[in-house]
Amino acid sequence: MTVALVDGNNFFVSCERVFNPRLENRPVVVLSNNDGCAIARSEEAKALGVAMGTPWFQMRDLARQHGIVALSSNYALYGDMSDRMMAILAGFAPEQEVYSIDECFLGLDGLAGSELADCGRRIRACVRQWIGIPVCVGIAATKTLAKLANHCAKKCLAGSAGVCDFTRLPAVELDRLLARLPVGAVWGIGPRLARQLGDLGLTTAAALRAADATVLSRRLSVQVGRIVCELNGIACLALEEVAAPQQQIIVSRSFGIPVQGLPELEEAVASYIARAAEKLRRENLRAGMLHVYARSSPHRQDATHYHGSLMLPLATPSADTLVLTRMALDMLRRIYRRGPVYQKAGVALLELSDAAASQASLLPAAPDNAALMQALDHVNARWGRGTLRSAAEGVRQPWQMKRARLTPGYTTAWDELLCVS
Amino acid sequence: MPRLSCPEGVVVPPGAPLLERPVPAGFPSPAADYYAGRLSLDAHLIEHREATFFVRVAGHSMTGFGIHDGDLLVVDRAGTPADRSIVIAVLDGAFTVKQLCLLPEGVLLRSGAAGHADILVAGERELVVWGVVRWSIHKV
């Protein structure tokens, strides 16, 4: 197997730069929901020492000093740019596995070895020209090695200009390269596994590659054994072109303002349910279990800290916003306590099953109003999300998350297009 | 109620029409064999779906080229700009819509209205062609 891993460099920041060239060569960070922590950083911001996950309030001084530009996350824009990027990349290979919003694997089996790096360069140039996003390409015999090759391409350790092809690298050179990478840089080796492997004296990717797969399978897990095989060029992980069916749908948000009253919490939970149920219906699923929680800030570990949570099965699996809302609000009232300052609430739909293959209940249950839900989804698809909604979601929604530094929906809203004179 | 059956392997998404158009119960439509779908503006105006962006015009500097204040531009980033293309350019970090003229003495960005000077890009100035304008959509 020959596989490429293509991913966007500092993807969210790059998306912003396409529509605001003044952000080029400046330190830029994109903040998480509610303008909380840094979730994407430009190279310039990384060089200033801004770590992933740094809370915005902690880097304010640094930002003022160095002119760091902080932006709210514009997921509508990033989602559209991601769709464009994945569609472009799909044109380069017969097989594609979209791995995350900004990276995908491409199966390059048909290409001759000498053409691979050239193909990588063409991919890079095309994505850069068509949508303005810089990408790096790692090419290797397995997905795990392709991930590492991509890492090397990004850090300019081997190959040139954002493309790194392990398949043409002499074994000695590959060993030298892997000896410089910590074992934690290997795909699938998290901090805990890295510690365990470190205890066994395996601290670099090269050491893990040279280890005995069978022994590690026995001592740690089959997964680790598989990673060792993959590092040796024996493919154990196939390209997964079809995404696995969703296990759960979670919608949770921090509030833009501190919330204490039940009415605001009810509005928030009803809105999250509406969003989750819409996703549920789009996937043609029903939920059999509902989880609702509300909590105060985890940074406030005093007596007033509270985390209320409840999970309950539905009598009959449902995809009806109104059925789910009624139940979620009932659950919320049971976990609500007067006193705490709530900072976040969330809902999760679990035990998802195919709507077409659901089992009828013995008990008489409130049936889903499928026609009403279809009308609801059509209206909101045509006129915008939230046009038609349950009264429980509220009107003004003062608790909505803060996105004070949000850029326009350049590709997703007619009245927010790029203006040019 | 009769059950709806589909040939094996055909998945009908909920809400999707089973047929493109209603089928007359009486005499079969003589047009059915010729039905080729309705015209789509997207298909007409957009050559490269992924590389096409919409941009709004602000100002009157390009009226001579038929591009007016408030018009919607269909911009394609996939093609290479040619001499005399109308382009979205980034000049020293700012967006502008101009005609690209490749002259022996350098690149000239031409405006299309009196009172708006042409710009000869020279020296330290940085010019990037962001995309090529394919269509201007004007509301009458």
Side-chain angles (χ1 to χ4, degrees):
Chain A
M1 161 157 120
T2 308
V3 57
L5 179 80
V6 186
D7 82 338
N9 302 353
N10 316 324
F11 186 70
F12 296 172
V13 171
S14 296
C15 288
E16 298 285 355
R17 280 179 167 167
V18 173
F19 300 95
N20 185 358
R22 292 194 197 279
L23 296 176
E24 292 290 347
N25 306 317
R26 292 189 62 177
V28 180
V29 297
V30 172
L31 303 173
S32 60
N33 275 340
N34 232 2
D35 297 346
C37 309
I39 51 168
R41 305 155 296 153
S42 70
E43 292 305 324
E44 297 80 3
K46 288 178 195 173
L48 289 173
V50 177
M52 201 67 166
T54 311
W56 170 231
F57 70 86
Q58 275 179 20
M59 56 175 146
R60 278 223 173 107
D61 284 340
L62 192 72
R64 210 168 301 128
Q65 221 177 316
H66 297 280
I68 299 177
V69 180
L71 302 168
S72 303
S73 34
N74 188 343
Y75 282 115
L77 175 68
Y78 311 151
D80 177 60
M81 295 300 276
S82 168
D83 287 350
R84 289 169 186 257
M85 182 169 92
M86 295 309 170
I88 293 168
L89 294 175
F92 280 92
E95 284 180 292
Q96 179 186 38
E97 175 188 340
V98 176
Y99 184 67
S100 71
I101 189 165
D102 63 349
E103 59 187 323
C104 81
F105 291 102
L106 296 175
L108 298 180
D109 271 338
L111 288 180
S114 55
E115 296 174 285
L116 290 171
D118 192 46
C119 174
R121 280 188 286 273
R122 273 187 288 124
I123 287 173
R124 236 174 94 80
C126 182
V127 177
R128 183 72 204 228
Q129 187 189 338
W130 283 37
I131 59 170
I133 301 286
V135 300
C136 279
V137 185
I139 303 167
T142 67
K143 284 165 82 173
T144 306
L145 280 173
K147 269 271 197 186
L148 277 180
N150 181 280
H151 181 87
C152 292
K154 210 166 270 172
K155 301 257 187 273
C156 295
L157 294 178
S160 60
V163 178
C164 176
D165 177 10
F166 274 1
T167 64
R168 305 283 279 181
L169 216 56
V172 194
E173 216 167 300
L174 181 60
D175 265 336
R176 202 176 308 141
L177 208 56
L178 296 189
R180 287 166 61 190
L181 298 177
V183 75
V186 177
W187 190 37
I189 306 290
R192 230 188 88 212
L193 261 180
R195 257 197 317 279
Q196 286 175 316
L197 290 167
D199 291 343
L200 297 172
L202 306 173
T203 53
T204 66
L208 183 61
R209 182 163 116 109
D212 187 326
T214 335
V215 173
L216 285 184
S217 292
R218 221 175 305 127
R219 290 188 66 166
L220 292 170
S221 73
V222 181
Q223 250 113 355
V224 179
R226 231 181 259 161
I227 290 171
V228 174
C229 290
E230 284 251 320
L231 285 176
N232 282 287
I234 303 158
C236 302
L237 305 167
L239 285 188
E240 284 158 32
E241 293 196 71
V242 184
Q246 265 190 315
Q247 302 293 308
Q248 53 184 12
I249 294 172
I250 300 174
V251 177
S252 66
R253 304 256 194 283
S254 301
F255 302 130
I257 51 166
V259 165
Q260 280 193 285
L262 183 59
E264 289 92 336
L265 275 179
E266 286 180 343
E267 281 185 16
V269 164
S271 306
Y272 302 163
I273 284 283
R275 187 81 194 83
E278 187 191 313
K279 276 193 205 171
L280 191 67
R281 290 192 294 273
R282 201 182 319 135
E283 304 282 325
N284 205 18
L285 296 168
R286 277 168 213 234
M289 181 84 86
L290 184 53
H291 178 205
V292 176
Y293 75 87
R295 64 161 172 78
S296 57
S297 166
H299 299 299
R300 264 166 100 134
Q301 288 296 356
D302 52 14
T304 63
H305 179 69
Y306 176 63
H307 184 131
S309 164
L310 190 60
M311 181 144 50
L312 284 177
L314 282 94
T316 315
S318 172
D320 187 313
T321 300
L322 301 181
V323 171
L324 294 167
T325 303
R326 215 170 294 130
M327 178 157 164
L329 292 184
D330 185 53
M331 289 163 71
L332 176 69
R333 284 171 206 132
R334 286 159 72 175
I335 58 172
Y336 173 76
R337 268 195 221 158
R338 200 187 298 271
V341 178
Y342 293 90
Q343 184 239 1
K344 186 173 188 173
V347 302
L349 305 179
L350 306 143
E351 297 197 355
L352 308 184
S353 58
D354 194 339
S358 72
Q359 196 170 12
S361 165
L362 282 175
L363 305 165
D368 279 14
N369 192 337
L372 179 63
M373 288 304 117
Q374 200 179 16
L376 179 82
D377 291 341
H378 280 176
V379 168
N380 288 336
R382 175 144 182 206
W383 303 104
R385 180 169 297 146
T387 302
L388 192 59
R389 58 181 187 230
S390 75
E393 290 183 50
V395 179
R396 281 203 316 110
Q397 306 189 326
W399 42 268
Q400 275 280 13
M401 65 177 176
K402 218 165 25 183
R403 289 202 285 181
R405 301 155 177 278
L406 186 64
T407 51
Y410 295 110
T411 66
T412 55
W414 285 115
D415 49 0
E416 296 179 19
L417 298 179
L418 189 66
C419 266
V420 170
S421 59
Chain B
M1 213 176 93
R3 279 177 60 87
L4 185 71
S5 69
C6 279
E8 217 171 313
V10 174
V11 180
V12 182
L18 290 175
L19 289 169
E20 301 264 343
R21 325 156 60 233
V23 175
F27 193 75
S29 164
D33 276 355
Y34 299 89
Y35 187 69
R38 195 167 294 161
L39 295 176
S40 149
L41 259 186
D42 263 22
H44 185 60
L45 301 180
I46 298 174
E47 192 181 347
H48 305 100
R49 244 170 63 84
E50 289 77 29
T52 297
F53 295 86
F54 301 134
V55 169
R56 184 78 65 190
V57 177
H60 304 274
S61 73
M62 291 295 279
T63 47
F65 293 103
I67 295 174
H68 301 273
D69 187 38
D71 282 1
L72 183 70
L73 303 180
V74 179
V75 179
D76 191 346
R77 290 178 53 104
T80 319
D83 185 31
R84 311 286 151 153
S85 292
I86 305 289
V87 298
I88 302 292
V90 179
L91 184 61
D92 300 330
F95 281 109
T96 181
V97 54
K98 292 281 174 288
Q99 187 187 42
L100 184 77
C101 299
L102 306 173
L103 306 178
E105 59 266 39
V107 175
L108 182 76
L109 294 177
R110 261 182 78 196
S111 299
H116 293 271
D118 300 344
I119 304 161
L120 184 66
V121 183
E124 294 289 285
R125 303 198 77 173
E126 196 190 346
L127 174 75
V128 177
V129 175
W130 193 88
V132 178
V133 177
R134 297 291 185 204
W135 299 88
S136 175
I137 301 174
H138 179 74
K139 189 168 193 289
V140 292

